[in-house]
Amino acid sequence: RDSVASRGLGDVYKRQIASSLLNGQNTPFVININGRCMRPILESGEQVEVLPCARYLPGDILVFEHPLLGLTAHRLLGLTLSTRGLRYMTKADNTDQIDCMLEPQKVLGRLDKNLSQDLSVRCSISMRLRCMAQLAKITIMLALKKLY
């Protein structure tokens, strides 16, 4: 799993990110990737720019607070409705396992640019469609498990 290298970030930097998010500003911030589960899009050690947004679409790579892993960068499959309200379903590109159902307020933003490769990390329409198909498949499989 790709996690964000949060160790080594200075308190001033952390306060800047928190202030930007709490004040509703869409100020991009830079993080370092640590892990290989989003290869080849993201490599360990690369710097990426994260853009806080009002809404996210299937296929976007989200940076969020994972309950066990801390800050994490995984792909959004889509929104699901649970007994606790709307949740995002995310997963790494190099695994079949989905993450926990993510509360929207845990999302810090979506990856916008890979600064190390000087590339945009915008999602293609075909990737968005693939993510929606994965969400539908997983939702059906989970519903069938409940029946049996």
Side-chain angles (χ1 to χ4, degrees):
R1 294 182 181 251
D2 282 341
S3 61
V4 176
S6 58
R7 288 187 207 107
L9 293 179
D11 288 338
V12 172
Y13 183 71
K14 290 178 186 176
R15 282 195 298 272
Q16 175 188 357
I17 294 171
S19 174
S20 172
L21 295 171
L22 291 173
N23 292 324
Q25 298 171 350
N26 290 345
T27 306
F29 56 93
V30 177
I31 57 172
N32 293 319
I33 296 298
N34 180 20
R36 298 182 299 226
C37 67
M38 293 298 292
R39 288 179 72 196
I41 300 292
L42 300 173
E43 297 285 345
S44 191
E46 291 183 329
Q47 283 194 330
V48 295
E49 185 177 80
V50 179
L51 180 64
C53 299
R55 65 177 171 226
Y56 302 100
L57 300 174
D60 288 343
I61 299 174
L62 302 184
V63 173
F64 57 91
E65 184 69 32
H66 189 283
L68 301 174
L69 303 173
L71 289 180
T72 304
H74 284 173
R75 195 171 299 278
L76 174 64
L77 299 181
L79 274 172
T80 62
L81 183 60
S82 76
T83 56
R84 297 180 183 162
L86 286 176
R87 296 288 190 262
Y88 289 134
M89 185 183 293
T90 61
K91 73 178 232 21
D93 284 356
N94 292 327
T95 183
D96 291 329
Q97 184 178 356
I98 61 170
D99 297 321
C100 59
M101 296 300 171
L102 179 64
E103 299 170 21
Q105 62 268 25
K106 301 277 187 190
V107 177
L108 300 177
R110 71 169 165 80
L111 265 56
D112 191 49
K113 294 178 188 166
N114 183 326
L115 299 175
S116 298
Q117 296 182 25
D118 195 27
L119 293 173
S120 172
V121 188
R122 300 281 166 99
C123 187
S124 67
I125 292 174
S126 63
M127 177 57 80
R128 292 195 194 286
L129 292 172
R130 257 189 306 229
C131 288
M132 289 187 279
Q134 284 182 11
L135 176 67
K137 178 182 173 184
I138 292 168
T139 302
I140 290 168
M141 289 173 60
L142 290 173
L144 289 174
K145 279 185 179 181
K146 289 181 182 181
L147 291 175
Y148 296 101

